Amino acid sequence: MKSSTVPKPGESLAEYVQRRRLALGMSQRAVAAKSGIHAQSIGKIEHGHTTVLKTKTRKGLAYALDIPEAHLDAAAKGISVEETGALKFCPQCWTPGNAPDSMWLHIHAHYCFRCGSGLRHRCVQCESPITSLKHRFCPYCGTAYKAPEKSAS
């Protein structure tokens, strides 16, 4: 993702949502229509009256503003995107559809303890944080999280 889509340090949810909306050249009504959220709710978010987003609001707003939900979570919590709990996995050892090994999820883990490969926490194509390994592909760009293994010929 472009750095402009990432919340800036110290940027509130209200400031972040308004900045993204303006960067896209959208009105509050346009964001409301695209997200399925009432226009008044968009105004409350941008004025700082709403600081916690319900799931439907977060998903709709992320879709309308063309950003990962983790970016909204980070802005709402006042933390960096990396601290939102993005998952990490070993591209060599992880089996798609299975939960990641608990050792990979340790905050200080950067390499796989089994094979030494660097752990991934972002999509290699679009750089979106990986927030679920339930599926094999990035929900934003469709890139496989784990490249298919080459068959021996």
Side-chain angles (χ1 to χ4, degrees):
M1 290 257 145
K2 297 175 190 168
S3 61
S4 65
T5 66
V6 177
K8 295 176 182 176
E11 187 174 38
S12 70
L13 177 64
E15 295 164 334
Y16 177 58
V17 169
Q18 185 175 42
R19 179 172 62 83
R20 285 298 304 144
R21 177 179 63 77
L22 295 174
L24 295 169
M26 298 176 76
S27 67
Q28 287 184 352
R29 286 183 188 261
V31 171
K34 188 173 180 180
S35 66
I37 302 166
H38 194 278
Q40 191 175 25
S41 296
I42 302 297
K44 286 181 179 180
I45 292 167
E46 287 192 6
H47 287 99
H49 301 298
T50 300
T51 56
V52 177
L53 302 177
K54 293 183 180 177
T55 303
K56 178 185 173 198
T57 303
R58 188 178 63 248
K59 286 180 182 294
L61 207 50
Y63 172 74
L65 298 176
D66 194 27
I67 53 174
E69 291 177 48
H71 289 193
L72 291 169
D73 287 340
K77 295 175 183 174
I79 59 176
S80 69
V81 173
E82 286 74 23
E83 295 176 280
T84 60
L87 296 175
K88 294 183 276 187
F89 71 98
C90 174
Q92 301 298 317
C93 299
W94 176 64
T95 303
N98 290 330
D101 191 294
S102 61
M103 292 294 287
W104 301 334
L105 302 178
H106 189 277
I107 193 163
H108 297 294
H110 298 287
Y111 298 94
C112 178
F113 65 97
R114 289 188 190 128
C115 71
S117 296
L119 298 177
R120 283 192 196 155
H121 67 281
R122 293 186 171 278
C123 172
V124 294
Q125 180 67 33
C126 70
E127 291 293 313
S128 293
I130 296 171
T131 57
S132 172
L133 290 174
K134 182 178 179 183
H135 305 288
R136 302 171 197 219
F137 303 95
C138 173
Y140 303 103
C141 71
T143 301
Y145 285 140
K146 182 174 180 177
E149 295 180 21
K150 296 177 182 174
S151 58
S153 301

